Amino acid sequence: MKLFRFRGGVHPPDYKALTQEVGIERLTVPRKVRVPLVQHLGVAAQAVVKKGERVLMGQLIGERHGFVSAAVHAPVSGVVTAVESVPHVSGRSVPGIEIENDGKEEWHPEIKPVRPVTREAIIAAVQAAGIVGMGGATFPTHVKLQPPEGKKIVLLILNGAECEPFLTCDYRLMVEAAERVIRGAVYLMEALGVTRCVVGIEDNKPAAIAAMRGAAAGQSGIEVESVRTHYPQGGEKQLIYALTGREVPSGGLPMDVGCVVQNVGTAAAVADAVETGRPLIERIVTVSGDAVERPGNYVVRVGTSIGDVLAAVGVDLEKCAKVIAGGPMTGLAVGNLEVPVTKGTSGILAFTEAWVKASEPAPCVRCGRCGVACPIGLNPTMLETLAMKRDVAGLQVFHAQDCIECGCCAYICPSQRTLVQAIRYGKAQIVATRKAKRN
Amino acid sequence: MWFHPLIVMSLFGGLFGAGLAYASRKFAVKTDPRVAAVLEALPGVNCGACGYPGCAGYAEAVVSGKAAPSLCAPGGAEVTEAVCAILGVTYEATEPRVAYVMCQGAPHAQQEAQYDGVASCALAALVSEGPSACKYACVMMGDCYHACPFGAISWQTGSVPVIDEAKCTACRKCIAICPKEVIALRYRSKRVLILCHSQDKGAVARKKCAVACIACTKCVQTCPVHAIRMDGNLAVLDTGVCTQCGACVKVCPTGAIRDLRPTTNEENLARAGAGIGVAAE
């Protein structure tokens, strides 16, 4: 198969050795979980339980509200102690449900495998299980499985690139549970009505490629491709281009070029939902960084606070200077350790002062390296200037809304300017202007 | 012949002169002399606070009746009076307004995290909604200080900016730039103010800040002129109605409502340890 090379990109040190050879472990389930009703892109789910009610594991506690929204389930059995607002990694408070864990781990009796496995049944199961994109973008999966009329999907792409430094959760999943991922891919192909699926894995993960090739051997239509180790290879648009040579148009979606991209973790969750009926209530989280005593990959229940996770893996909070949810390139700094783990939390990184280099940005030297590194082909330094001048028309002319916030420009900048932060500010201005126009 | 060019040039000159004279009559645009007069009366800083492109744009709009004569913020009452005189309308004095920050900030508010990025409110507010535990609080990084065209805002790193009511012209530039929308306008003489902007529920707000409005509604019930209303979990005071009787200040259990009149201001400043809201006249 011919592979393509997307423009730009960077090669940051990957630091995956910290966790990649450590097997996946289960983390102790905490006494109390706080489950946000917003764990996906789109409209918040609506609480369907009340304070004082006893809920069982996997019971629906937040109902999908609107098409682009996802259901939320109880990650533990126990009593609902509050229906209130919970902190979110964005800093905002979002509606959520607090459950006191009774430690009985009692599954809801209505959870059973999907029979027979038809196209409609798979989509219904994915929707009922509240599955969202587990690479971090958390787009509801059932929406991707139901493309609008006129959009023909010909190819399913499984994203196992995991280009983000430090993170190894997808790698461990592919090494330890390749069959489950491939079975999930088969269900996704059935749901989309496609006959071809390509799994893209960066070539720095030979063990994952071998395991996935072994698991896919008996399946027709599934190919495992080794792609170049090149950040941001795991970006949806970059992976599509690398595997097919098709470019997603500005403002468009992968379905515009006949593709649907799913993370390997999402495929595994789909396999679980179809084969056992179990909703998405836990995920694999890479916990790494130099402040972590026992770095590794842990299965964490949704709603466990980041503070609880850090305590369980031996982080001395006195020495810890910075905590990041997600990877170092695209993740968000955590301002409050009570923020819970959600379906999209792929990693939690904790660093000591020595690793957190806070340096003053210097003036732009017009070297143009940010523009060379940008995988979209934008001009980051121009966007930064326009954002700080609050020139919304200019930002639109320079396509600020096409920025994928991969962080290549800020990584490569010799003046260490905070380009992504500025561009995010610019994108927020565009959204605010659009909203103001609509009202 | 040496005089031929002279004749030809004179003829051309006469011809073009006549053409220009005709065109200036035929295509003359009638301008209202009042526009020039109004422009003369305006301060000429082209701040744009009136919403028009510079003073010239505003002068035209005023004369054509599209804009009210009172919109010039830096000019204030004097300019409004002058513009009214030019337009021949009666001048009604309105009390000028000034901006104030609806937050008492440090040292009352808890800091949740330490932000070490670029010192800009707009950028700091993007990282978990700002370093303060209260997500409605002033970010204290001085975007408004840099935006103020009149030097009316003084600010030091890590403290809430102080707006000088003598210099503030209510141009709203600081209000537009503030990512937390924590700046509002008040009437200049009114100095009994609710210095909180938190929409958090009472118990939550109290945990995050010692001087937060906890939505107890005591002030709403106490106010004899009904100048205070509840907006969600926050009491909002209409300074246009307020008589500054001070009853709300006395009943407020947290100190979110403050009386910053000069007579009591000194005492207030001593208690807060920082200048809040009103600078000395």
Side-chain angles (χ1 to χ4, degrees):
Chain A
M1 190 173 149
K2 186 179 184 302
L3 291 179
F4 296 82
R5 206 187 152 109
F6 63 88
R7 80 180 297 288
V10 291
H11 294 93
D14 67 12
Y15 296 107
K16 289 185 194 274
L18 284 169
T19 53
Q20 68 182 2
E21 298 315 322
V22 188
I24 299 171
E25 275 177 53
R26 297 197 79 84
L27 207 69
T28 325
V29 184
R31 297 298 313 158
K32 191 181 82 180
V33 290
R34 292 165 104 186
V35 190
L37 290 169
V38 187
Q39 299 189 45
H40 48 267
L41 271 181
V43 191
Q46 303 261 307
V48 291
V49 288
K50 285 191 190 74
K51 187 178 169 180
E53 205 173 307
R54 180 157 192 270
V55 291
L56 299 173
M57 247 166 100
Q59 184 179 334
L60 185 75
I61 53 174
E63 203 165 51
R64 195 168 60 94
H65 189 67
F67 185 54
V68 184
S69 179
V72 176
H73 302 81
V76 295
S77 60
V79 177
V80 175
T81 46
V83 179
E84 41 145 41
S85 66
V86 299
H88 191 258
V89 72
S90 69
R92 266 168 241 130
S93 290
V94 296
I97 292 165
E98 190 181 279
I99 304 171
E100 182 91 35
N101 182 9
D102 61 9
K104 290 183 185 149
E105 301 284 271
E106 209 174 310
W107 278 97
H108 195 257
E110 275 170 40
I111 289 169
K112 45 184 176 279
V114 173
R115 291 282 179 274
V117 183
T118 60
R119 180 170 185 260
E120 287 71 28
I122 295 170
I123 294 176
V126 166
Q127 193 167 307
I131 296 176
V132 299
M134 288 173 74
T138 65
F139 192 77
T141 302
H142 67 90
V143 179
K144 279 191 182 178
L145 295 181
Q146 298 170 78
E149 287 291 318
K151 300 271 185 215
K152 192 163 164 45
I153 306 297
V154 292
L155 177 67
L156 169 69
I157 293 174
L158 272 206
N159 188 347
E162 200 166 52
C163 58
E164 183 88 36
F166 287 96
L167 302 189
T168 55
C169 55
D170 291 350
Y171 171 78
R172 285 314 303 177
L173 176 72
M174 288 187 285
V175 169
E176 294 184 28
E179 279 85 14
R180 198 150 62 97
V181 176
I182 294 294
R183 289 203 306 273
V186 173
Y187 298 132
L188 286 168
M189 283 162 74
E190 174 71 30
L192 286 164
V194 299
T195 52
R196 249 188 99 213
C197 166
V198 182
V199 188
I201 304 172
E202 276 191 344
D203 56 16
N204 63 352
K205 303 175 188 70
I209 296 171
M212 291 291 282
R213 282 207 171 125
Q219 298 290 346
S220 67
I222 302 184
E223 298 157 55
V224 178
E225 277 300 331
S226 155
V227 292
R228 221 156 49 94
T229 302
H230 185 187
Y231 185 86
Q233 187 66 265
E236 197 169 58
K237 290 164 186 175
Q238 281 64 40
L239 192 63
I240 293 173
Y241 185 75
L243 292 172
T244 67
R246 290 175 213 166
E247 208 172 307
V248 179
S250 167
L253 292 168
M255 62 173 72
D256 294 326
V257 292
C259 298
V260 164
V261 183
Q262 298 285 1
N263 180 266
V264 287
T266 315
V270 169
D272 286 349
V274 173
E275 290 165 2
T276 65
R278 288 183 181 175
L280 186 53
I281 58 165
E282 60 187 17
R283 69 155 295 142
I284 308 168
V285 180
T286 302
V287 188
S288 190
D290 73 324
V292 182
E293 213 168 275
R294 293 182 296 282
N297 286 289
Y298 298 91
V299 176
V300 182
R301 290 280 164 84
V302 162
T304 309
S305 77
I306 286 178
D308 283 348
V309 175
L310 293 180
V313 299
V315 173
D316 182 358
L317 287 178
E318 290 295 308
K319 284 187 196 145
C320 179
K322 189 164 193 169
V323 177
I324 296 173
M329 296 293 277
T330 59
L332 295 168
V334 177
N336 179 353
L337 291 179
E338 279 184 27
V339 169
V341 169
T342 63
K343 296 169 186 174
T345 312
S346 48
I348 300 172
L349 308 178
F351 297 109
T352 62
E353 198 76 57
W355 278 45
V356 184
K357 197 171 71 182
S359 48
E360 276 295 301
C364 173
V365 294
R366 323 293 297 165
C367 66
R369 283 197 219 170
C370 52
V372 174
C374 179
I376 306 295
L378 303 175
N379 182 350
T381 181
M382 188 67 185
L383 291 174
E384 184 205 17
T385 309
L386 291 168
M388 296 320 287
K389 282 184 181 302
R390 282 166 277 272
D391 181 350
V392 176
L395 284 164
Q396 280 169 321
V397 169
F398 283 84
H399 296 282
Q401 64 276 28
D402 284 335
C403 169
I404 59 168
E405 300 176 25
C406 63
C408 288
C409 51
Y411 174 79
I412 207 84
C413 178
S415 292
Q416 307 194 320
R417 299 195 64 76
T418 52
L419 294 163
V420 184
Q421 205 180 358
I423 297 172
R424 280 182 58 209
Y425 177 44
K427 286 166 86 174
Q429 291 168 48
I430 294 178
V431 172
T433 313
R434 277 193 191 146
K435 226 183 228 169
K437 260 185 203 161
R438 238 180 288 141
N439 294 342
Chain B
M1 303 303 163
W2 62 268
F3 56 86
H4 276 179
L6 214 65
I7 293 167
V8 171
M9 290 314 287
S10 307
L11 277 174
F12 270 124
L15 206 64
F16 288 139
L20 283 173
Y22 174 72
S24 77
R25 281 283 168 84
K26 174 81 181 165
F27 303 114
V29 179
K30 277 206 180 114
T31 53
D32 196 323
R34 293 181 301 171
V35 173
V38 170
L39 187 55
E40 191 68 24
L42 293 173
V45 288
N46 292 322
C47 67
C50 52
Y52 290 89
C55 295
Y58 177 56
E60 239 165 70
V62 167
V63 173
S64 62
K66 281 182 201 148
S70 59
L71 295 183
C72 181
E78 269 172 54
V79 167
T80 308
E81 204 172 351
V83 172
C84 286
I86 294 163
L87 297 178
V89 294
T90 43
Y91 167 68
E92 282 167 40
T94 50
E95 209 204 325
R97 295 202 282 174
V98 292
Y100 73 106
V101 184
M102 299 180 280
C103 178
Q104 303 189 45
H108 313 281
Q110 303 232 347
Q111 293 296 296
E112 188 175 73
Q114 196 188 335
Y115 171 79
D116 56 13
V118 179
S120 153
C121 302
L123 295 189
L126 286 176
V127 183
S128 84
E129 294 280 310
S132 179
C134 171
K135 299 306 173 192
Y136 300 90
C138 171
V139 187
M140 304 189 283
M141 295 213 177
D143 276 9
C144 55
Y145 164 76
H146 296 293
C148 180
F150 304 103
I153 302 180
S154 55
W155 158 80
Q156 284 165 331
T157 314
S159 66
V160 173
V162 178
I163 301 173
D164 185 341
E165 59 178 31
K167 287 186 191 159
C168 178
T169 62
C171 74
R172 293 169 188 265
K173 286 236 157 117
C174 52
I175 295 177
I177 207 153
C178 179
K180 293 293 176 191
E181 299 174 349
V182 72
I183 307 178
L185 294 182
R186 63 177 171 92
Y187 285 100
R188 189 182 276 174
S189 67
K190 299 297 170 67
R191 292 172 186 144
V192 173
L193 301 165
I194 299 178
L195 297 179
C196 182
H197 182 233
S198 168
Q199 280 286 359
D200 279 326
K201 278 185 188 164
V204 181
R206 188 162 220 169
K207 243 182 247 169
K208 292 174 176 174
C209 177
V211 290
C213 170
I214 54 168
C216 66
T217 73
K218 272 188 188 159
C219 53
V220 179
Q221 290 156 23
T222 309
C223 182
V225 290
H226 306 294
I228 307 178
R229 66 185 168 83
M230 292 306 294
D231 172 19
N233 288 320
L234 178 66
V236 179
L237 172 72
D238 182 349
T239 53
V241 182
C242 176
T243 58
Q244 310 203 82
C245 67
C248 53
V249 183
K250 288 192 194 92
V251 297
C252 181
T254 60
I257 309 180
R258 298 279 295 271
D259 184 347
L260 299 170
R261 279 174 289 184
T263 44
T264 47
N265 199 14
E266 234 163 74
E267 190 187 316
N268 266 310
L269 290 180
R271 200 163 29 167
I276 303 290
V278 180
E281 279 175 275

